[in-house]
Amino acid sequence: MAGTSNRVGFSPMLRASGVDPTEAIQYGEASRYRTFGALVLFTTAMSAAAVLWAVHIATNAPTEVAVGVALLWGFGIFHIDRWLVSTPISRPGPGHRLLLLLPRMAIAVPLGLLVAWFAMLGVAGKEIDQQLDLDRVAATSELSAQVRNQSDLARQREELVAERDGLVSRYEAAVARIDPLQKSFDEECSGMGGSLSKGCGPVAARKGAELDAARNARDLALAAVNQRVPDIDAQIARIDEQLANRVANVTESSERNDGIFARRAALSKVLDRDGEARQLYHLLEIVLIMVDLIPAIAKVVSPVSMLDVAKGIRRQRMREELQSTAAAERASPDIADALIYAATQRAETLREQADLQRALTRSGG
């Protein structure tokens, strides 16, 4: 018994499996449950590390807070996996085994997907930063365009530009009319015109009048340009300065968004254009989910152990005792007799279990 006690005392992996170390050794299942315990410890460490990474990336929390959250999560995962691998497989068939796996999958799948996402935020950090810079430039350009195109100043500028362009267009049109009229007048006076009365006669006089009217219109248009356009240009310059100031204010206020949701959106754009990065992302999801499910899968696919059989027998005996006690209570008019009978049955069962343990201990050396 001393050797058995020493082996149990130095079996942290066996204790991590959640079973009674003495029973595991007595039934010859110590190696199996040491393996289960090692898997539980491994999964606990990986889950805690993943949550530590996720909290650090997601919230930039202080190290003490991130470590505390990771330890708390690891504590919960440890006890869930410990309960799972120590739960006996009491019924044949795959259905009961899958039922044992479902609770762990409900935790492992969303956690694996979440941690894979945070892991990619760290792995693709440089690409995400570049995408955030591009997004900021695009957002700033869009805001600047909105300021320039949709503000009251922008509308005033458009009106001034339209007025200036109208004045200039009228002047240019007036100038363009003079050359043809001048040519027609010169041809008439030189006798090369198409009228019947050649020379500077009535037709030439009429054309000269038209030429003078065109010159007057040109001079008036030029005066309007000289009088109004400099003032318009000055107003446009002032408006441009005000718009530039507004754009500068918008640009300064639209700092790069480094929040977790902005980084997520940037990561989506990176994954959309980089197929290899997307494959790596999906591979991380699968690996992290499988790592979380290792103890559960090992328990589900392993054959039924002698320890599970012994637990099943004990449960059956307990059920029979309860049934016999209930039958005795119904048959006996005196409740005291029923309790005495039940106590006797229980004592007999305990003696049988003690004899079985002693026999197994002697056979184990």
Side-chain angles (χ1 to χ4, degrees):
M1 292 296 291
T4 300
S5 177
N6 288 337
R7 282 184 293 170
V8 173
F10 293 95
S11 300
M13 294 183 183
L14 190 55
R15 292 184 181 277
S17 68
V19 300
D20 185 344
T22 303
E23 289 187 349
I25 292 175
Q26 288 174 351
Y27 287 106
E29 299 289 353
S31 298
R32 180 202 297 254
Y33 284 97
R34 284 194 189 96
T35 303
F36 284 160
L39 294 177
V40 168
L41 292 175
F42 171 74
T43 300
T44 299
M46 292 295 292
S47 295
V51 169
L52 176 64
W53 173 266
V55 171
H56 175 70
I57 293 294
T59 64
N60 290 324
T63 304
E64 297 80 4
V65 174
V67 170
V69 173
L71 290 176
L72 183 62
W73 181 265
F75 178 80
I77 292 297
F78 172 77
H79 284 282
I80 291 174
D81 284 343
R82 195 168 183 255
W83 162 79
L84 194 148
V85 300
S86 63
T87 299
I89 298 176
S90 57
R91 294 192 297 273
H96 179 62
R97 294 174 180 260
L98 291 178
L99 285 177
L100 292 177
L101 186 61
L102 288 179
R104 194 63 184 88
M105 288 182 64
I107 299 174
V109 173
L111 179 66
L113 297 177
L114 184 63
V115 173
W117 175 46
F118 283 118
M120 282 303 297
L121 289 179
V123 171
K126 291 184 178 180
E127 290 78 5
I128 291 174
D129 288 338
Q130 292 175 356
Q131 185 63 49
L132 288 174
D133 291 335
L134 293 175
D135 291 343
R136 179 177 180 272
V137 170
T140 302
S141 299
E142 183 177 355
L143 289 173
S144 300
Q146 291 177 358
V147 170
R148 293 186 181 278
N149 298 329
Q150 300 178 5
S151 65
D152 293 336
L153 290 175
R155 285 191 289 273
Q156 293 176 19
R157 188 182 190 281
E158 289 179 359
E159 293 173 357
L160 291 171
V161 169
E163 182 182 356
R164 183 187 62 186
D165 291 345
L167 292 172
V168 172
S169 296
R170 283 193 292 272
Y171 169 72
E172 292 175 348
V175 170
R177 291 183 65 235
I178 291 176
D179 286 343
L181 292 174
Q182 181 70 54
K183 181 179 179 181
S184 177
F185 175 77
D186 292 341
E187 288 177 351
E188 188 67 28
C189 283
S190 63
M192 298 174 61
S195 63
L196 296 177
S197 58
K198 306 295 183 182
C200 295
V203 175
R206 180 173 55 80
K207 292 184 177 181
E210 292 177 355
L211 178 59
D212 291 338
R215 288 172 177 170
N216 290 333
R218 179 199 62 189
D219 294 339
L220 290 174
L222 178 60
V225 169
N226 292 334
Q227 179 181 2
R228 180 62 180 151
V229 168
D231 183 50
I232 292 176
D233 289 338
Q235 293 183 54
I236 290 175
R238 286 194 296 270
I239 291 175
D240 286 341
E241 183 179 359
Q242 294 177 15
L243 286 174
N245 291 334
R246 290 190 181 184
V247 170
N249 292 333
V250 169
T251 304
E252 291 176 0
S253 63
S254 61
E255 296 179 355
R256 194 182 81 168
N257 184 3
D258 286 329
I260 187 65
F261 293 109
R263 297 185 71 82
R264 178 189 181 280
L267 174 61
S268 297
K269 295 177 182 178
V270 171
L271 295 179
D272 287 340
R273 67 169 181 263
D274 191 338
E276 292 184 359
R278 179 168 291 277
Q279 292 176 2
L280 175 61
Y281 177 42
H282 293 320
L283 180 61
L284 276 174
E285 291 178 329
I286 295 172
V287 169
L288 290 170
I289 292 173
M290 294 305 296
V291 166
D292 243 14
L293 289 175
I294 284 176
I297 293 174
K299 176 67 177 181
V300 168
V301 301
S302 64
V304 177
S305 68
M306 291 301 297
L307 190 56
D308 288 350
V309 173
K311 289 180 180 179
I313 292 173
R314 284 201 295 271
R315 283 198 305 272
Q316 182 62 30
R317 287 180 177 175
M318 182 68 71
R319 189 179 299 109
E320 292 174 354
E321 290 173 12
L322 292 174
Q323 291 174 353
S324 61
T325 301
E329 290 177 355
R330 289 192 300 269
S332 175
D334 189 355
I335 190 63
D337 292 341
L339 294 175
I340 292 172
Y341 175 78
T344 302
Q345 292 291 105
R346 180 62 178 164
E348 182 63 26
T349 300
L350 291 175
R351 281 196 297 273
E352 291 179 0
Q353 292 179 359
D355 292 341
L356 177 60
Q357 287 184 356
R358 283 195 293 272
L360 289 172
T361 302
R362 286 195 297 271
S363 64

